[in-house]
Amino acid sequence: MDGPTILDVTAADSGTPDDIIVPGFVDLHCHGGGGHTFTTGDAESARGAAAFHLAHGTTTLLASLVSSPYELMRAATAAFAPLVADGTLAGIHFEGPYLAGARCGAQNPAHLRDPSLEELTALVKLGDGAVRMVTIAPELPGALEAIAYLAGAGVIAAVGHTDATYEQTLAGVAAGATVGTHVFNGMPPAHHRRPGPVVALLGARTVVCELVADGFHLHPGTLSFAAHAAGPDRAALITDAMDAAGMPDGRYELGGQEVVVADRVARLARDGSIAGSTLTMDAALREAVAAGIALPDACAMAATTPARALGLADQVGALEAGMRADLVVLSPDLQVKRVMRAGAWVP
């Protein structure tokens, strides 16, 4: 564990009694922010994106790529591994390219392909612990073998961008998948006779369900329903943010495709598909509370549960003795006032 740990947690008088102190946020799924992106595999851009989200309270962060050629996946793994080693990133998340064309959303269809054990094995070896999560559609040829390989190698296998049936989704869970990638988004809607991946993932006791709480990806009622269906110990708030987070409306790029951001919503120029978000984790927390989720549960969804999904529950995600000293000081209206990471205040 890098940095000082919490020695004790006690109630104390302070000059700002209305401040709320919560654990540092843990984001499982983020493509960039502040004008910087993870998707090109550039290390300096990755540092900029991590710094942007750190200022918004995210003290633990996966760098998410989108569907890419294998050469870019290798280059990004090599470039980001030192950032994982120095603690800037908690790991790399490959969202694709092993995804269903029918549910690719803003993923570039030109880069989609069936799961490759050869590619995955080489990437995991190259990263030497840096590759932490891979999103796969479980209905694709070779997907179950790929999921089992990842689980056995200590890499999170996530189910997402999938057209799978309920049964195919549960087969992926049985093979070792433990995360649902932005549940509801990039998958068929639930139907009472065709429950599909949404119902399968929300009901699977071993799966943590990612939820994009920006008010656009999910209706507040859907967010509240999902959080209660899974429970705060299996629901994780994510940003799915792209480089446009914290930036003005305008034209951006994601995975080689033009994105137009208007009124905080990012959409592909070619067909209007939602293309990631402009969200930060503090805003996701506020959205969850506004949807009726109790603040302690929302904090668990923003920190404790994703930390456990990453296998880091003994290090981050809670304000407890022995944990790394990561915390966020919030105002009564849940705006970030100060951020501490590893015992040091963020400038």
Side-chain angles (χ1 to χ4, degrees), residues 104-107 161 185 212 214 216-218 240 254 259 265-268 271-277:
C104 67
Q107 300 279 335
H161 286 282
N185 301 114
V212 187
D214 62 354
F216 307 113
H217 279 76
L218 300 174
D240 195 18
L254 181 67
V259 174
V265 182
R267 297 184 182 275
L268 282 187
D271 65 5
S273 295
I274 294 179
S277 84

Side-chain angles (χ1 to χ4, degrees), residues 225-300:
F225 164 77
H228 286 96
D233 60 335
R234 289 203 306 108
L237 299 179
I238 61 165
T239 63
D240 195 18
M242 59 174 292
D243 59 349
M247 302 295 287
D249 285 354
R251 293 183 177 272
Y252 296 85
E253 183 269 343
L254 181 67
Q257 301 182 102
E258 185 179 15
V259 174
V260 177
V261 177
D263 296 327
R264 298 184 299 119
V265 182
R267 297 184 182 275
L268 282 187
R270 63 176 169 83
D271 65 5
S273 295
I274 294 179
S277 84
T278 61
L279 188 61
T280 54
M281 284 294 284
D282 58 320
L285 182 76
R286 292 191 292 272
E287 184 75 23
V289 171
I293 299 168
L295 180 59
D297 289 345
C299 289

Side-chain angles (χ1 to χ4, degrees), residues 42-156:
D42 181 79
E44 285 310 303
S45 186
R47 288 190 185 277
F52 168 78
H53 285 285
L54 178 59
H56 286 271
T58 298
T59 53
T60 302
L61 176 70
L62 288 188
S64 300
L65 280 82
V66 292
S67 295
S68 308
Y70 176 59
E71 294 74 18
L72 176 54
M73 297 171 76
R74 283 189 60 86
T77 301
F80 291 170
L83 278 65
V84 177
D86 70 16
T88 301
L89 302 173
I92 301 164
H93 165 214
F94 289 116
E95 187 185 11
Y98 315 123
L99 310 175
R103 299 292 173 180
C104 67
Q107 300 279 335
N108 192 331
H111 300 318
L112 300 184
R113 53 193 182 274
D114 291 338
S116 166
L117 278 177
E118 181 180 1
E119 288 184 359
L120 288 170
T121 302
L123 291 168
V124 170
K125 181 178 180 181
L126 176 64
D128 192 23
V131 177
R132 297 298 295 268
M133 184 158 74
V134 180
T135 296
I136 294 179
E139 73 275 21
L140 296 179
L144 298 184
E145 292 81 1
I147 290 170
Y149 164 74
L150 292 169
V155 178
I156 299 165

